[in-house]
Amino acid sequence: MQSNQEILVEAILNQYEVDQAHLPQEILDKIYAIPADLVTSDDIINYTKCVGQLINKDDKIAELLEVLEDDVHIITHKLKFITANDRPKVIILDDINPTIINTSKYLQSCITIAGGIPTNSIADADKVIIINAEEMTVAQVPSLLSDPNWADSNAVNLNQVFLINTKGFGKIAGQNYCVELETLAEILQPKYFFYGLEGNTWLQFQLK
């Protein structure tokens, strides 16, 4: 089984259209020596740049960095004047039964960029995002109504419960950064963003 770093390296090399099997071991060793604890957009941009420099893809670096930087810039620019009152408090769950709250610093960073405020409090949550690709999770969602901790929450009462059904979503920072950021932006600030991802990457539940 591949490690998270191996998956990340493979994803970044694919973006550069390079097969790591064709790279000298010396270059691969240098790539794997780059710190891969990515959290912020700057971390991901710098990591992508470093890999590109090591494989001498200077022409492709500018193209990939432009995509990354533009995606972040478009989102932050549109939300520049959105006040804290218009930024929903968001709790992310990795599972429902039992409830497992996702505390990933990477996803918290993405939520902030996408127009939300991360929270680990069920009572405070305006939106609930469940990350799970298992079909069983869909059947379990209505059980939130029978849990008093959730039944009276703003998120449930306002039908603001969402399922992200993309395998591995947010597990490896930098692997699918733009799609993950756009997915969260659509969910958190639907008045400002439409990428056509609803029904493919995520869906909303009507609980009441």
Side-chain angles (χ1 to χ4, degrees):
M1 180 181 292
Q2 286 181 302
S3 68
N4 285 354
Q5 188 178 20
E6 288 171 337
I7 294 171
L8 174 61
V9 168
E10 183 178 20
I12 299 299
L13 289 176
N14 285 341
Q15 291 176 27
Y16 281 110
E17 300 176 348
V18 170
D19 185 346
Q20 64 178 314
H22 297 155
L23 290 175
Q25 188 60 46
E26 179 184 359
I27 298 298
L28 280 175
D29 290 342
K30 289 180 179 179
I31 291 175
Y32 278 100
I34 303 172
D37 185 17
L38 312 181
V39 175
T40 69
S41 59
D42 285 342
D43 291 340
I44 292 162
I45 288 168
N46 290 334
Y47 184 89
T48 302
K49 181 179 180 180
C50 287
V51 172
Q53 290 172 334
L54 285 173
I55 59 176
N56 295 317
K57 285 284 186 176
D58 293 343
D59 54 337
K60 192 74 173 176
I61 290 174
E63 178 184 333
L64 292 183
L65 296 192
E66 183 178 6
V67 171
L68 290 169
E69 291 169 347
D70 281 355
D71 214 34
V72 174
H73 175 74
I74 287 170
I75 293 172
T76 54
H77 181 72
K78 282 189 176 183
L79 300 177
K80 185 177 181 180
F81 298 108
I82 299 297
T83 66
N85 289 335
D86 293 320
R87 295 175 182 266
K89 293 179 180 178
V90 186
I91 189 168
I92 294 184
L93 305 181
D94 284 332
D95 209 339
I96 299 173
N97 188 19
T99 299
I100 300 176
I101 298 174
N102 183 300
T103 58
S104 161
K105 291 181 180 179
Y106 164 66
L107 282 179
Q108 289 178 352
S109 173
C110 289
I111 286 171
T112 302
I113 293 173
I117 300 172
T119 181
N120 292 330
S121 169
I122 295 171
D124 290 342
D126 299 308
K127 292 179 184 273
V128 175
I129 297 175
I130 305 163
I131 300 178
N132 200 317
E134 299 295 331
E135 292 183 5
M136 185 179 296
T137 302
V138 178
Q140 290 175 341
V141 170
S143 68
L144 286 175
L145 292 175
S146 63
D147 185 335
N149 292 320
W150 291 99
D152 296 327
S153 68
N154 287 335
V156 170
N157 285 323
L158 296 175
N159 284 318
Q160 293 298 296
V161 178
F162 305 85
L163 176 70
I164 291 179
N165 50 19
T166 302
K167 184 177 181 180
F169 186 96
K171 296 295 184 184
I172 303 174
Q175 182 185 9
N176 295 299
Y177 185 57
C178 289
V179 171
E180 290 171 350
L181 203 57
E182 290 168 2
T183 297
L184 291 171
E186 272 195 339
I187 292 172
L188 304 185
Q189 295 291 344
K191 292 181 180 179
Y192 296 93
F193 302 103
F194 176 76
Y195 296 103
L197 298 173
E198 183 176 6
N200 294 315
T201 304
W202 64 274
L203 56 88
Q204 181 176 3
F205 287 93
Q206 297 297 323
L207 297 175
K208 293 188 176 182

